Amino acid sequence: MSNHHTYKKIEMVGSSTTSIEDAIENALAECNKTVSNMDWFEVTETRGHIVNGSVGHYQVTLKIGFKIVSS
C-alpha cells in the first residue's frame, strides 16, 4: 500500500419523480451495484422534465469518485 491515493471519476445521471435528493440516492444506489470504493460525489447539473406544467422527473448529473484499489 502506498502513502497516497489515486481516484477515478465517473459520471452518472439519476432521476426521481420525488426530489433532487432522491435522484442523487438513486444514482448512487445503481452505481454501488458495480463500482467499489466509492468515496465522494459532486453534483454537476440539475434539471427536470416537465409534464402538464409540473415536475415530472428531477434529473441530477453526478461525478462520483472512487479510490483505485492498488493506490
Side-chain angles (χ1 to χ4, degrees):
M1 184 100 173
S2 66
N3 61 356
H4 70 278
H5 301 288
T6 302
Y7 294 88
K8 180 173 177 102
K9 288 196 295 188
I10 57 174
E11 190 170 79
M12 300 288 289
V13 178
S15 67
S16 170
T17 57
T18 308
S19 68
I20 291 169
E21 289 83 4
D22 239 17
I24 293 169
E25 292 291 343
N26 291 341
L28 292 174
E30 284 299 315
C31 193
N32 192 49
K33 292 178 182 178
T34 57
V35 176
S36 300
N37 303 316
M38 291 191 307
D39 213 23
W40 51 268
F41 72 91
E42 60 183 287
V43 175
T44 58
E45 292 182 310
T46 306
R47 64 185 166 277
H49 175 230
I50 301 169
V51 177
N52 296 324
S54 301
V55 176
H57 285 89
Y58 297 91
Q59 295 177 330
V60 179
T61 302
L62 306 172
K63 289 188 179 179
I64 300 170
F66 59 96
K67 187 170 69 170
I68 302 299
V69 175
S70 61
S71 72

